[in-house]
Amino acid sequence: MSVLEKLTSADAIALEDQYGAHNYHPLPVVLNRGEGVYVWDVEGKKYYDFLSAYSAVNQGHCHPKIVSAMIAQAQTLTLTSRAFYNDKLGVYEEYITKYFGFDKVLPMNTGAEAVETALKICRKWAYEKKGIPENEAQIIVCEGNFHGRTTTIISFSNDENARKNFGPYTAGFIKIAYDDIEALEKAISASKNIAGFLVEPIQGEAGVYVPSEDYLTKAKALCEANNVLFIADEVQTGIARTGSLLAVCGNCSCENHCEKQSGYVTPDILILGKAISGGAYPVSAVLANDPIMNVIKPGQHGSTFGGNPVAAAVAMAALDVVTDEHLAQNARKLGQIFRSELAKYIETSNIVTLVRGKGLLNAIVINDTEDSETAWNICVKLAENGLLAKPTHGNIIRFAPPLVMTEEQLRDCIAIIINTLKAFEL
Ligand SMILES: *Cc1c(COP(=O)(O)O)cnc(C)c1O
């Protein structure tokens, strides 16, 4: 096909189908432009984006401040590798550590890499600081977790589709029920070799499971009492998504890190990705204080692109936007409206049984079996009606629009969602 010809949706889908590995099952929508809360397909149809690239685009599509920072840095210096210093990385490292209140950051590119990084730091800390015998360290993880797609990470997934025929698996992980403090207590007291507890403050991929109010504070206290590192994977929940800067911030929606609010949990290791760049560039980060981060010495971990000048410039701009535009406060306010309007509808609905979530990370549960096509069919219909969302697992649909949405736009979207659902009422 000539580059001058305009690609139709059918053309683009056929190309991906023929030449791309079939490792995703996208909705049949082909996008070529985005701005704020909107995206457009190649035929010019406009949609509300209610996925935000799995919460990477919290700041909205093509945010001008982030794009400008990216262009300016791309025209100046893009990559030095870490073989040399550059004039952006240190500035960014100071910025992000002060923003989140940690001594140090280790910069990476993708969420899965940052999770891997955290696991390596945790293990090394366990041997060198906690005194666990070599190769005996265990890290506790939760049922239903999603932490990425590498060989080690899928080793402790319980999504059979993500795991099957990718073995042999990495050893050293213990799986317990999510939101079950007794299970954590039991697992920690069962062994002297527990190095860390890796947890999502809200399980996003699993279907937006919000744990009990005091789960994270109790889990952190247990970890602290037993010299176990509390590792928070906030790749999806972080950066204002749940109505606070981090989901571990509890009920605080202040713009900056602060430990004074009740319910606040300070992770020993904090993992960030996705919206740390506003979706403009792959940027991830692992944050920790010196006694933990300093176990890593030259040559023991790294990445050619991690901490490159474009990533540094983009991440600073993206985090500025979160503060300047009060995205945590907006997510909190709009999230309450979203859940209360959906809950009102659900009272009279046969097709939806439940709405849950925090801030603008929400999901509805469809009244059908987990292997049914209903949630998928609803998402196809939502797209026809101008709103893009995707099922997570089976019969659960996640709703996570960009956090720059206005109340008027949100109410428009709620109407689209409810009207679409009504067509599926039993
Ligand atoms: C998306 C996600 C990851 C993996 O991030 P990638 O950039 O896709 O590697 C890890 N943890 C959580 C909680 C996520 O939502």
Side-chain angles (χ1 to χ4, degrees), residues 307-426:
N308 73 74
V310 178
V314 164
M316 283 189 281
L319 290 171
D320 273 349
V321 169
V322 172
T323 312
D324 294 348
E325 301 188 15
H326 311 289
L327 296 189
Q329 288 84 342
N330 197 48
R332 170 172 294 222
K333 183 183 103 186
L334 296 194
Q336 275 156 0
I337 295 170
F338 183 83
R339 285 184 301 280
S340 78
E341 292 299 316
L342 265 289
K344 265 190 251 166
Y345 164 66
I346 289 168
E347 280 176 31
T348 65
S349 169
N350 296 314
I351 192 68
V352 187
T353 57
L354 183 70
V355 60
R356 64 172 171 241
K358 205 168 176 203
L360 281 175
L361 182 60
N362 296 292
I364 57 171
V365 179
I366 302 301
N367 184 19
D368 207 334
T369 54
E370 278 206 27
D371 57 357
S372 78
E373 297 279 297
T374 311
W376 174 269
N377 293 336
I378 289 170
C379 288
V380 170
K381 206 71 190 165
L382 281 170
E384 277 172 40
N385 294 338
L387 187 145
L388 297 179
K390 191 113 197 277
T392 53
H393 273 86
N395 58 352
I396 302 167
I397 302 174
R398 170 176 32 201
F399 290 118
L403 311 182
V404 293
M405 185 163 269
T406 64
E407 183 175 335
E408 195 188 349
Q409 289 167 335
L410 181 80
R411 291 195 184 273
D412 191 21
C413 293
I414 292 169
I416 294 173
I417 291 167
I418 291 176
N419 286 332
T420 305
L421 289 167
K422 278 182 178 164
F424 285 83
E425 287 293 347
L426 309 169

Side-chain angles (χ1 to χ4, degrees), residues 151 154 159-169:
T151 330
I154 59 102
D159 177 348
E160 265 315 288
N161 195 33
R163 260 173 71 86
K164 193 165 162 50
N165 291 339
F166 293 117
Y169 303 114

